[in-house]
Amino acid sequence: MKSAIYPGSFDPVTFGHIDIIERAACMFDELRVCVLYNKAKSSLFSVEERVRMLQKVTENIPNVKVDSFTGLLIDYARVNDIHVAIRGLRAVTDFEYELQIAQTNKLLSAGSLDTIFLTTSLQYAYLSSSSVKEIASFGGDISQCVPESIAREVYAKYPR
Ligand code: ADP
């Protein structure tokens, strides 16, 4: 069985992430979407909330499984026998950061974990979880950024 993992913070999941999930799910027998605890980022949603939101927006894609992990991606991949990581690329600005992570993962996994990059669909090229949070914090419209059920949860974090 060909499996891949799509790791990220997903704080919160956006249409950009969902687009990558739908496209990657067509390429593999199983796609594991994994919320990784990221020390460098302070998050709005708990890991459990992010997992629940991802489960909600992927419930109609049967070969997608949602999970979470505190630790290195390569360790999760090794234990679960996964050899492909999926990452999304929006603009050139993503490239250097993503290239560095991909090469580090390849090195640390002794060659066992490769990264496949999917380029963003153009309508989501400027969409990020950070911009969703910023817009919502000022009461702005995020309906073009996240599904309605997710938007409700984001607004609930910024009572006005
Ligand atoms: P990170 O994993 O760096 O904490 P995210 O959870 O926001 O960041 O993103 C997870 C992955 O999804 C990254 O590879 C990121 O480049 C990609 N991604 C985020 N937003 C989009 C988008 N709008 N279009 C395509 N890919 C995206």
Side-chain angles (χ1 to χ4, degrees):
M1 186 167 82
K2 260 200 247 164
S3 304
I5 178 167
Y6 179 31
S9 304
F10 306 106
D11 184 46
V13 59
T14 69
F15 282 133
H17 297 130
I18 295 169
D19 175 58
I20 298 286
I21 292 170
E22 285 171 346
R23 289 157 59 200
C26 292
M27 299 172 189
F28 293 89
D29 298 314
E30 183 188 287
L31 179 68
R32 198 77 64 96
V33 181
C34 196
V35 177
L36 287 192
Y37 175 73
N38 185 340
K39 265 193 192 150
K41 289 187 174 179
S42 62
S43 57
L44 179 65
F45 291 96
S46 69
V47 169
E48 293 71 27
E49 288 173 316
R50 285 179 266 160
V51 165
R52 189 178 34 74
M53 289 190 285
L54 278 163
Q55 280 167 340
K56 201 184 314 183
V57 300
T58 59
E59 64 189 359
N60 294 325
I61 318 174
N63 63 333
V64 168
K65 285 201 179 119
V66 183
D67 201 358
S68 65
F69 186 64
T70 302
L72 293 176
L73 171 63
I74 53 151
D75 291 331
Y76 182 93
R78 190 187 59 247
V79 169
N80 290 279
D81 199 23
I82 297 174
H83 303 281
V84 176
I86 303 290
R87 295 285 287 177
L89 279 181
R90 281 161 294 191
V92 186
T93 41
D94 277 343
F95 183 73
E96 208 165 314
Y97 170 72
E98 293 291 346
L99 183 68
Q100 193 184 349
I101 298 179
Q103 288 178 334
T104 305
N105 284 334
K106 182 85 175 161
L107 188 74
L108 288 182
S109 67
S112 133
L113 185 66
D114 262 309
T115 302
I116 292 182
F117 294 107
L118 294 182
T119 52
T120 182
S121 295
L122 278 182
Q123 69 267 40
Y124 305 128
Y126 295 98
L127 178 51
S128 69
S129 298
S130 323
S131 61
V132 169
K133 287 180 273 192
E134 188 169 359
I135 297 167
S137 73
F138 292 109
D141 179 8
I142 53 170
S143 62
Q144 292 186 60
C145 308
V146 298
E148 210 183 313
S149 62
I150 305 297
R152 275 196 299 272
E153 300 212 29
V154 179
Y155 288 128
K157 293 279 183 185
Y158 300 105
R160 295 172 68 80

